[in-house]
Each structure stands twice: as structure tokens, then as C-alpha cells.
Amino acid sequence: MVWTFGATLLVALALAVLAAIGLWAHLLYWVKRLTLPLEYSVEEVLRTEDGAPIEIRRVPRPDGAEAQPDLPPILLVHGLAANHRNQDIHPDYSLARHLATLGRDVWLLTLRSGRLLTRAERRSVRFSAMVRYDLPCAIEAILERTGARSLDYVGFSMGGMLLYAALGRSVAGDRVRRVVIVGSPGRLTTPVRLMRFLPGRLLPGVPLRLMARSVAFASEWLPTPIHHAVANPRNVPPGVTRLALVNCIEDIPAALNADFAAWMASDGEIRVDGERVLDGLASVGAPALFIAGSADRIAPASAVRAAFDAWGRDRPETPKRFLVLGRDFGAREDYGHGDLAVGAYTGVDLFEPIARFLGPDLQAEDAPGPETGAVALEAIQARQPTSDETAPMPDLPAA
């Protein structure tokens, strides 16, 4: 029998099909095994004014948790390449459920960038669109459903950046009582100037969802440079990285990728409608707690500090504090970016200071915590001399 080229091609195609089926079955197996569903008392899809779908979820309070009706609801907003699970990965490492256990009414927002999108929907995922439509839509919906006049806002990474841009533009200052910023840069500190020669329309999206799910099963076998770029592996509990890759990571659409690339290609300044976002923070009066990780390579402390310095610059009475989480500053570990959400010691280093800050009464010594805040602030002041804006926080009025 003569073995023909056509037969060889058929065998090769058959082997390729079998390999693809095997890889797909492998992916489905691990996705099913690592998917961790969590319960919510409300899950609702909203439509913004420009027609984009976003989602809000209400975190249930556990049995025995006494409600705090005198305090406003809390809205948690996720970062880039993530969904609402950003700060709710696992019940044991969840800021959302920590606050709910204390009796707070906690809500999670899924921005348009955090959903599984159609090709048509991807075109509308721009930073400015989320500023203009997503945040006000979610905030007003939550205030309407709870009857509150304002809410507390916790933004992680891009979630904080969106609030920088939205306050005074699409979100009135009186709709936000207090603000917590976790790893949200005020400017991008690693501008890649060569990118200015690449038109934004040529930048592709980043299919992180499939990539993350494909490698989740092996993601904790051996730390790589990618691990260290995203988080401090020493500070991530076993099993959490795999859960995060399957339950939290989403694609970065090309349009949103182009927005970030444009800022990086120029001077690192975040702009909306041509205006520098940090300039709009000068008149902000909401009390704010800024948190940065000492080992964060995505949003270094200096980048978060840029937003802190701009916050309420024209209103010296605005209460604000800056906290760096790192061993040199009294924390249990040096925090990277991802572990600001799911670090092994976040309960003590992060969740408790946030809960105190968002409580009914706040004394100068209560936030961000005597064991970390004072030391960190003193160290930052020594490295980066600033004005007296970082003086101890005065007493805040009750809610």
C-alpha cells in the first residue's frame, strides 16, 4: 500500500482534532472543579443610559449579624481584567463578606468591562463610558433600593480610578459619604513612550479569561516572574490563585486597552475628555483612606500617593489618610497588587482598618490603625516630603 500525502494529512488532522477535544475537556474539567459559586441576596442586571448591561449584587448578612441601619450601604467596585469577585473570591478572604458580617449592607458592582461580552458590546467598553454611565447608574440604583442618601465607596485598582474621574463629573460629591481606595494609581508610573507610534485602533484585546482558566490548574506549582508582577506569592494562601483565575479574571477589550495604552504612551496622566483626572480631585471633600502595597508593581505606592496628594488639595480640612502595607510599616507581609484583595493577612492588615474607617465614628487614632498607619505615614513623609495635608485625621461626624 502506498502511503499518500492525502492520508498523512488526514491523520494529522485527526490527531489535531483529538488534541483539541482533549484540551477542551481538560479545560472544562478544571473550570468545573475550581468554580466556587457564592450566594447573593440580590442579583440584578441594569441597563445604563447608553444601553450597556452592568450588574449589581447584594451580599447577604450571615445569621446573627446585627444590621446597622444608621450606616449607609457600601459599594465595592472591581479593577481591570476582573469582575465582581475581585473582593469576594472566597468567604475567608472577602472584604465584602467581612463587612457584611459586621452588619453592613454591602453591594458589588460588575462594570461593563467585567462581563462576558459579545463582539458588539466590546466596542462600548471605554474608561470614559464607565465613568459617565456605569458608576452613576449603579450608585443611583443602590440608593433607590436602600432608601439611603449616600453610600460608602470602596474602589480596587481601576475601581478607584473610575471614582477619581467620576466625582464632580457624573457622580455628585454628596452621593458618597466616605471613600476607600485600594491600590488605585493616580497616574501610570511606567509610560511606554514608544507606544505613541502605535495607533490605538490597532491594539488588540487581551483574552485573559481563557488564558487564566487554561493555566489555573498549574498556577501554584512554581512561582514565575508573572506571579511576582501581579502579587506577592508569599502572601497568597494556597488554592486562592487558582480560584481567582477561574472565578474572577475577565478579558480586557481592545477599546479599554487602547485607553490605558494612550495614557502610558504620553505622560502617564489619566485623562477623560482631555482633562487631567487628578485636577478634578482638588475640591473633593469626602473623607478618604488610601491603601497601597509596599511591593505593588502595578500600582506602586508613589502612584497611589499622587491621587492622595490631589484629593481635597483646595480643601485642607478634608480628612484623609495614606496607608502602606508592608513589613517595614508593621504589616505581616509585603503586599503586591493582587494580594491587596486576597492576601493571607488581609483580615487584620486591610479589612479591619477599612471597617473602622467606614464605621459610625472615626477618631484620629482609629484609622488606618496604630500598628500600621502611623508608621507607614511617617516613613512615606520621610521619603517624600509633603505639605501638612497628611496631618492626623480629625474626628469625623457620625453617619
Side-chain angles (χ1 to χ4, degrees):
M1 178 184 295
V2 178
W3 192 259
T4 65
F5 174 77
T8 302
L9 182 60
L10 286 175
V11 170
L13 289 174
L15 290 175
V17 169
L18 288 175
I21 292 174
L23 290 174
W24 186 249
H26 173 82
L27 176 62
L28 291 179
Y29 168 79
W30 281 106
V31 167
K32 182 177 180 179
R33 180 171 176 177
L34 294 174
T35 295
L36 178 64
L38 296 177
E39 290 188 6
Y40 299 97
S41 56
V42 172
E43 296 186 59
E44 186 176 353
V45 177
L46 307 175
R47 286 281 175 178
T48 64
E49 285 190 10
D50 67 336
I54 62 174
E55 301 168 8
I56 55 174
R57 289 172 172 81
R58 195 178 210 166
V59 179
R61 281 190 293 268
D63 294 339
E66 184 177 351
Q68 299 190 44
D70 294 333
L71 292 176
I74 302 175
L75 173 61
L76 277 63
V77 183
H78 62 81
L80 181 68
N83 56 34
H84 64 280
R85 294 292 293 276
N86 198 159
Q87 293 175 294
D88 193 28
I89 289 292
H90 186 282
D92 293 339
Y93 305 99
S94 168
L95 173 60
R97 291 175 196 271
H98 180 89
L99 295 171
T101 299
L102 298 177
R104 298 301 298 269
D105 186 7
V106 181
W107 294 74
L108 300 172
L109 169 61
T110 304
L111 298 158
R112 67 181 68 193
S113 66
R115 303 180 71 254
L116 187 58
L117 301 168
T118 66
R119 184 182 298 272
E121 289 173 336
R122 289 172 179 270
R123 291 194 291 268
S124 71
V125 181
R126 304 302 299 257
F127 186 87
S128 59
M130 292 188 286
V131 168
R132 190 172 294 116
Y133 302 113
D134 294 19
L135 284 198
C137 178
I139 289 173
E140 293 307 316
I142 291 169
L143 294 181
E144 178 182 345
R145 285 152 181 74
T146 60
R149 293 177 296 178
S150 63
L151 52 72
D152 291 339
Y153 187 102
V154 181
F156 183 89
S157 195
M158 187 183 71
M161 297 167 64
L162 289 169
L163 187 68
Y164 298 160
L167 281 176
R169 286 186 174 90
S170 57
V171 175
D174 61 1
R175 307 306 263 174
V176 178
R177 186 192 70 136
R178 293 182 191 163
V179 173
V180 176
I181 297 297
V182 183
S184 303
R187 63 170 57 93
L188 305 183
T189 59
T190 55
V192 183
R193 298 189 182 279
L194 290 177
M195 294 182 67
R196 70 176 60 184
F197 301 107
L198 181 63
R201 65 179 179 276
L202 298 182
L203 286 173
V206 185
L208 289 178
R209 179 185 174 92
L210 178 59
M211 293 166 57
R213 292 178 167 215
S214 299
V215 302
F217 75 100
S219 60
E220 298 181 7
W221 290 357
L222 180 67
T224 67
I226 295 177
H227 287 80
H228 289 277
V230 175
N232 176 3
R234 295 193 311 269
N235 193 29
V236 180
V240 169
T241 297
R242 299 195 303 173
L243 288 176
L245 290 175
V246 169
N247 295 277
C248 177
I249 300 302
E250 301 290 347
D251 295 341
I252 303 177
L256 185 57
N257 195 24
D259 287 336
F260 277 80
W263 302 327
M264 294 174 67
S266 55
D267 52 8
E269 293 287 350
I270 305 162
R271 288 181 167 84
V272 172
D273 298 331
E275 299 178 355
R276 293 176 68 250
V277 162
L278 292 188
D279 291 342
L281 297 180
S283 60
V284 172
L289 170 62
F290 287 76
I291 301 174
S294 65
D296 193 335
R297 301 182 185 183
I298 294 176
S302 59
V304 181
R305 180 64 188 246
F308 170 84
D309 289 338
W311 191 275
R313 183 186 295 118
D314 295 342
R315 301 179 63 173
E317 74 281 3
T318 297
K320 59 180 182 177
R321 293 281 286 197
F322 187 73
L323 169 62
V324 176
L325 295 185
R327 288 183 292 182
D328 289 347
F329 308 126
R332 280 105 181 122
E333 188 51 87
D334 293 318
Y335 281 73
H337 195 69
D339 41 318
L340 285 171
V342 294
Y345 307 103
T346 47
V348 174
D349 289 336
L350 193 79
F351 298 172
E352 290 182 6
I354 289 176
R356 287 197 299 269
F357 178 79
L358 297 180
D361 299 296
L362 187 64
Q363 304 298 321
E365 66 272 19
D366 288 337
E371 75 285 354
T372 56
V375 177
L377 187 54
E378 181 180 348
I380 291 295
Q381 288 174 325
R383 297 174 185 174
Q384 298 174 289
T386 62
S387 68
D388 59 0
E389 288 178 339
T390 54
M393 180 179 287
D395 294 353
L396 297 182

